[in-house]
C-alpha cells in the first residue's frame, strides 16, 4: 500500500513539473542571438570584433510576454553579464534587444540566456505625499521660442545684390585692361578706373619687394582686398550656406591669393617713406599697428631716400 502511494506521488509530481515547464514563456517563443560590431549593425561577426550581442525574439502564440533581461553565460556556467530590458513581446510579434559586450573577455563566453514572464511590463506609478491642506502653486516652465529655419531655396534680394556687386567689379577690371574699347566710361569714371589700374599693378608686382609705391597704389589695393573679403564672406555664408564659424572656402582662397601681393605692396610703400619693409612685423605687437598706419599714410620721401 505504501509503495502504491509513493508511486502515485511520484507520478503526480512528474506530471506537475512537466506541465509547469510546458507552460513556461520560454517555450512559447523562438530565441536567437549573435554578435555584432556596432549598435546599428545587423551582421554577425566573430568574437574578436564583437561589441554587442543582438537578441531576436519571436512569439509563437497569442499570449503576451515580457522579456525582463538578457545575459551571457561563461563556459563555466557563470553569469558574465545580465542586462534588464523589460521588452514587451506582443502576440505573434517580433522584438529585438542589444546588449553591450565590448567590455567582456569573450574568449571564455558560452551561451546566452534570457528571462521572461507572461503579461505586459508593470509600470509603477509615482505617488506624491502631499498634505491636503497645503496648496502648492504649479511650476511654470519657460519654453524658448524656436527660430524659424531659413528656406534654403529662397534666393533673397541680398543674394542678388552680392552677385551684382561681384559682377560690377569683374566688369570694371575687364574694362580697365581694354581702355581703348571703353574710352567713354574711362572719362566718366576716372577714379573707378584709377582704382582698377592701381590694383592690377599690385597684382603684376605680386612678388616684387624692391622699389617704391605711392599712397594711391597701396591704399587702392587695400580697399580692393577689403571689399572683396567682405563680399566673399557674405557669398560663402548667404549663398553657399556655410557655417560662419567654420571654413569659408571662397574667402579663404581669396585671402591666400592676396597675402603675398599685400606684403609686397606694404614693403614698397614703406620704402617710399624711407623705411625698411621689415617694419611691417611690428603689427604683431598690436600696439605697433598705430605707427605702421601712420607710415603707410605718410607722404613720399624723395630727398635722402636710400630706397
Amino acid at each position: 500500500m505504501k509503495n502504491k502511494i509513493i508511486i502515485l506521488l511520484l507520478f503526480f509530481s512528474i506530471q506537475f513539473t512537466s506541465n509547469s515547464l510546458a507552460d513556461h514563456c520560454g517555450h512559447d517563443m523562438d530565441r536567437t542571438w549573435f554578435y555584432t560590431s556596432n549598435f546599428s549593425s545587423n551582421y554577425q561577426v566573430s568574437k574578436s570584433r564583437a561589441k554587442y550581442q543582438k537578441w531576436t525574439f519571436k512569439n509563437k502564440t497569442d499570449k503576451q510576454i515580457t522579456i525582463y533581461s538578457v545575459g551571457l553565460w561563461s563556459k563555466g556556467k557563470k553569469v558574465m553579464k545580465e542586462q534588464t530590458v523589460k521588452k514587451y513581446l506582443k502576440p505573434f510579434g517580433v522584438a529585438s534587444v542589444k546588449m553591450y559586450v565590448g567590455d567582456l573577455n569573450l574568449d571564455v563566453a558560452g551561451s546566452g540566456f534570457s528571462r521572461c514572464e507572461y503579461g505586459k511590463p508593470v509600470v509603477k506609478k509615482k505617488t506624491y505625499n502631499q498634505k491636503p491642506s497645503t496648496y502648492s502653486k504649479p511650476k511654470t516652465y519657460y519654453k524658448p521660442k524656436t527660430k524659424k529655419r531659413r528656406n534654403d531655396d529662397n534666393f533673397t534680394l541680398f543674394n542678388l545684390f552680392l552677385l551684382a556687386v561681384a559682377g560690377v567689379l569683374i566688369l570694371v577690371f575687364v574694362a580697365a585692361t581694354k581702355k581703348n574699347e571703353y574710352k567713354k566710361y574711362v572719362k566718366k569714371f576716372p577714379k573707378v578706373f584709377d582704382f582698377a589700374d592701381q590694383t592690377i599693378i599690385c597684382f603684376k608686382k605680386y612678388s616684387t619687394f624692391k622699389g617704391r609705391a605711392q599712397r594711391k597704389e597701396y591704399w587702392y589695393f587695400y580697399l580692393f582686398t577689403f571689399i572683396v573679403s567682405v563680399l566673399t564672406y557674405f557669398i560663402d555664408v548667404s549663398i553657399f550656406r556655410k557655417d560662419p564659424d567654420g571654413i569659408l572656402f571662397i574667402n579663404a582662397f581669396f585671402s591666400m591669393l592676396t597675402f603675398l601681393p599685400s606684403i609686397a605692396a606694404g614693403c614698397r610703400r614703406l620704402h617710399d617713406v624711407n623705411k625698411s619693409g621689415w617694419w611691417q612685423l611690428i603689427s604683431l605687437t598690436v600696439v605697433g599697428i598705430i605707427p605702421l598706419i601712420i607710415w603707410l599714410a605718410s607722404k613720399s620721401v624723395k630727398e635722402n631716400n636710400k630706397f
Side-chain angles (χ1 to χ4, degrees):
M1 188 67 182
K2 290 181 179 179
N3 293 334
K4 291 181 179 179
I5 294 172
I6 293 170
I7 292 170
L8 287 173
L9 290 173
L10 287 172
F11 175 76
F12 285 118
S13 63
I14 292 169
Q15 189 175 9
F16 175 76
T17 54
S18 63
N19 289 334
S20 62
L21 288 172
D23 292 336
H24 189 266
C25 58
H27 298 283
D28 292 333
M29 61 182 180
D30 292 329
R31 298 173 292 178
T32 57
W33 66 271
F34 57 87
Y35 294 118
T36 61
S37 58
N38 55 65
F39 187 82
S40 59
S41 175
N42 293 319
Y43 298 98
Q44 184 174 357
V45 297
S46 60
K47 288 183 179 180
S48 59
R49 295 175 54 199
K51 294 294 182 183
Y52 289 88
Q53 181 190 34
K54 181 181 179 181
W55 285 83
T56 302
F57 299 91
K58 297 181 180 179
N59 194 346
K60 299 185 292 184
T61 64
D62 58 350
K63 299 176 182 178
Q64 295 177 335
I65 300 174
T66 298
I67 304 157
Y68 275 91
S69 65
V70 294
L72 186 64
W73 294 107
S74 67
K75 292 179 182 179
K77 291 298 180 181
K78 291 186 178 180
V79 177
M80 294 181 66
K81 188 170 186 177
E82 186 173 6
Q83 177 177 308
T84 303
V85 291
K86 288 187 178 180
K87 190 76 173 181
Y88 173 62
L89 187 61
K90 64 181 181 180
F92 303 106
V94 179
S96 61
V97 175
K98 288 187 178 180
M99 181 180 72
Y100 181 70
V101 293
D103 55 347
L104 300 177
N105 178 16
L106 298 180
D107 292 335
V108 297
S111 60
F113 67 90
S114 63
R115 306 183 194 277
C116 62
E117 289 184 7
Y118 287 112
K120 290 185 177 181
V122 179
V123 180
K124 293 183 179 179
K125 294 183 179 180
K126 293 183 180 180
T127 56
Y128 300 94
N129 296 326
Q130 188 175 2
K131 295 180 179 180
S133 58
T134 59
Y135 170 76
S136 60
K137 190 177 180 180
K139 293 183 179 180
T140 57
Y141 297 95
Y142 170 72
K143 188 177 181 180
K145 294 181 179 179
T146 55
K147 293 183 179 180
K148 293 183 179 179
R149 294 183 63 185
R150 296 182 301 177
N151 188 357
D152 291 343
D153 295 331
N154 282 347
F155 193 80
T156 62
L157 290 175
F158 182 67
N159 295 345
L160 185 62
F161 170 75
L162 293 175
L163 294 178
V165 173
V168 169
L169 279 175
I170 293 171
L171 288 175
V172 167
F173 281 94
V174 170
T177 57
K178 299 178 181 180
K179 289 184 179 179
N180 294 329
E181 299 178 13
Y182 301 95
K183 288 181 179 180
K184 295 181 180 179
Y185 300 103
V186 173
K187 291 180 181 179
K188 289 182 179 180
F189 308 100
K191 290 186 178 181
V192 173
F193 284 95
D194 193 19
F195 159 74
D197 288 337
Q198 299 301 326
T199 303
I200 291 171
I201 289 171
C202 286
F203 274 115
K204 287 181 178 179
K205 298 180 179 180
Y206 73 96
S207 61
T208 304
F209 294 90
K210 295 180 180 180
R212 298 162 66 174
Q214 296 181 352
R215 286 184 293 182
K216 182 169 61 173
E217 179 183 334
Y218 176 80
W219 286 109
Y220 270 148
F221 183 71
Y222 181 84
L223 178 63
F224 167 78
T225 56
F226 175 77
I227 292 172
V228 180
S229 293
V230 174
L231 185 65
T232 53
Y233 172 82
F234 283 110
I235 287 174
D236 273 326
V237 173
S238 183
I239 297 178
F240 293 102
R241 306 295 184 185
K242 298 292 183 182
D243 184 5
D245 298 328
I247 299 174
L248 305 177
F249 292 102
I250 299 177
N251 185 265
F253 175 74
F254 176 76
S255 299
M256 290 188 292
L257 189 68
T258 56
F259 175 73
L260 188 60
S262 298
I263 299 298
C267 186
R268 295 196 304 273
R269 177 81 268 270
L270 288 174
H271 289 174
D272 196 44
V273 294
N274 200 20
K275 298 289 182 184
S276 172
W278 291 102
W279 279 107
Q280 292 182 92
L281 295 176
I282 64 172
S283 61
L284 300 176
T285 63
V286 181
V287 180
I289 295 176
I290 298 173
L292 182 61
I293 292 174
I294 294 172
W295 292 335
L296 293 172
S298 300
K299 293 182 179 180
S300 302
V301 178
K302 296 181 179 179
E303 296 179 358
N304 299 323
N305 192 327
K306 59 183 178 181
F307 299 99

